[in-house]
Amino acid sequence: MERIKIKSIFLREEVETVHIRHLYYQIDWSDRLIGILGARGTGKTTLLLQRMRLHFQSDDAALYISLDDIYFASNSLIELAETFRVRGGKILFVDEVHKYSGWAREIKNIYDTYKDLYIVFTGSSVIDIYQQEADLSRRAVFYELAGLSFREYLRFADIYSAEAIGLPDVLSHHTQIALKLSKDFKPIPHFEAYLDHGYYPFFKENLRTYFLRIEQVIRLIVETELRFVDGFDINNTNKVMQLLAILAENVPFKPNISKLSDKIGISRQTVTQYLHYLEKARLINMLNPAGASISTLQKPEKVYLENPNLHRAIASSEANQGSRRESFLLNQLRNAKHEVSLPSAGDFLVDRKVTIEVGGKGKSRKQIAGVENAFIAADNLEIGIDQKIPLWLFGFLY
């Protein structure tokens, strides 16, 4: 355990605390069991270490562990927790729980046995908490860490710092808000940079290898994390990569499951299941009409890459600007916890009451003519008026 403790101290002291995610301030850290889920590369480990450094400088009070550490090949999490508590430990920061067999059961036992021990754990977004053998859903408070919003990207890049803006204010007061913000920075060039390389926090480390890092993240998700999804056949890893490559060349599109099945060489039902796995892994977003089934057997009406940075990282051809725009808006709306579905007219129906059509600066209202409570989200537009809103402004939702 001494090696684990030394590693924990080293990582705590190395983490920077200048740039802290919005989610950090939304978490109620007083809860005794907290779960933070999210896709690989979004900064879950950094969030844990920042909490340690800012609030637990005592070497005995807090401990960071990763459950993919070789230590746990011959030691159990429960044994470590018991030893840690006896030595004065107060809070365990547990990373990569999905890589440890029986993690949910052991965390439940620790939580139920030691009332004075706090646990914050992270795991992949592919985890289905409700299918775990131990009922953590009643004990833990769960949060999801998404990639950076455009607003967070501006702060991380030391360009501009502002508070999040709710969707009602964006819809009702966008002209005044955009006028105020654009006095302090030029949104259009920075928004283009964000669409290209601003979603994952590691953009700050090295832009030259940014897309190589994304490719590595994708492969790790498909090759290692999807195997933790119940029913996933690890022998079909290459099939999933092939499916993802096809999607990247065509999004957004209405998937023809039969053609995809023939092209990849797996059954139609398996193709549909794998689309849902890719959505759980936060590599794609699927869209259906409001009220439609979201079961793993339901074919989606449209499929998008989960965020605009994936277009350049996966697609072999130049990313379609319209695809990136729609991918961005769907991503930001869902990350801000809005319900988004497919409307009869326009691109997105938000919270079952607001219709949004996405396009360029000169986009007309033709597609949403006669639709109540309808707006245009326009790219390359610094300041909008009436029902036409700058697309970049939706990047301030979270």
Side-chain angles (χ1 to χ4, degrees), residues 19 53 149 155:
H19 302 101
R53 182 163 187 179
S149 65
R155 184 161 53 83

Side-chain angles (χ1 to χ4, degrees), residues 296-309:
T296 55
L297 299 179
Q298 172 69 32
K299 178 183 80 70
E301 285 296 313
K302 295 184 78 172
V303 178
Y304 301 79
L305 290 184
E306 197 270 345
N307 69 80
N309 291 183

Side-chain angles (χ1 to χ4, degrees), residues 364-377:
S364 73
R365 290 181 54 86
K366 181 179 178 181
Q367 282 92 341
I368 52 174
V371 179
E372 292 186 11
N373 210 19
F375 300 83
I376 293 172

Side-chain angles (χ1 to χ4, degrees), residues 286-320:
M286 300 193 294
L287 204 62
N288 281 306
S293 168
I294 55 173
S295 74
T296 55
L297 299 179
Q298 172 69 32
K299 178 183 80 70
E301 285 296 313
K302 295 184 78 172
V303 178
Y304 301 79
L305 290 184
E306 197 270 345
N307 69 80
N309 291 183
L310 292 173
H311 286 263
R312 181 172 163 189
I314 303 176
S316 58
S317 58
E318 187 70 21
N320 178 273

Side-chain angles (χ1 to χ4, degrees), residues 191-314:
F191 183 57
E192 278 299 312
Y194 170 80
L195 292 180
D196 184 67
H197 60 252
Y199 189 69
Y200 297 95
F202 53 75
F203 83 88
K204 288 185 65 66
E205 297 174 24
N206 189 345
L207 271 182
R208 289 177 298 180
T209 58
Y210 179 76
F211 296 102
L212 179 61
R213 288 278 299 272
I214 293 180
E215 290 175 21
Q216 292 170 343
V217 163
I218 293 168
R219 190 157 290 279
L220 282 169
I221 289 172
V222 174
E223 293 181 349
T224 66
E225 296 194 356
L226 283 183
R227 65 188 177 92
F228 298 105
V229 176
D230 187 36
F232 179 73
D233 184 353
I234 60 173
N235 294 317
N236 280 342
T237 296
N238 288 335
K239 302 288 187 183
V240 176
M241 292 297 294
Q242 188 180 355
L243 175 59
L244 191 58
I246 293 171
L247 296 177
E249 294 294 333
N250 294 280
V251 295
F253 81 117
K254 295 184 177 183
N256 185 314
I257 300 299
S258 294
K259 287 185 178 180
L260 285 173
S261 172
D262 292 340
K263 194 165 188 177
I264 300 172
I266 54 179
S267 71
R268 286 177 293 178
Q269 180 175 331
T270 302
V271 169
T272 305
Q273 287 177 330
Y274 284 3
L275 287 174
H276 284 268
Y277 294 160
L278 288 172
E279 185 173 50
K280 285 177 69 67
R282 303 298 182 260
L283 290 176
I284 65 171
N285 270 324
M286 300 193 294
L287 204 62
N288 281 306
S293 168
I294 55 173
S295 74
T296 55
L297 299 179
Q298 172 69 32
K299 178 183 80 70
E301 285 296 313
K302 295 184 78 172
V303 178
Y304 301 79
L305 290 184
E306 197 270 345
N307 69 80
N309 291 183
L310 292 173
H311 286 263
R312 181 172 163 189
I314 303 176

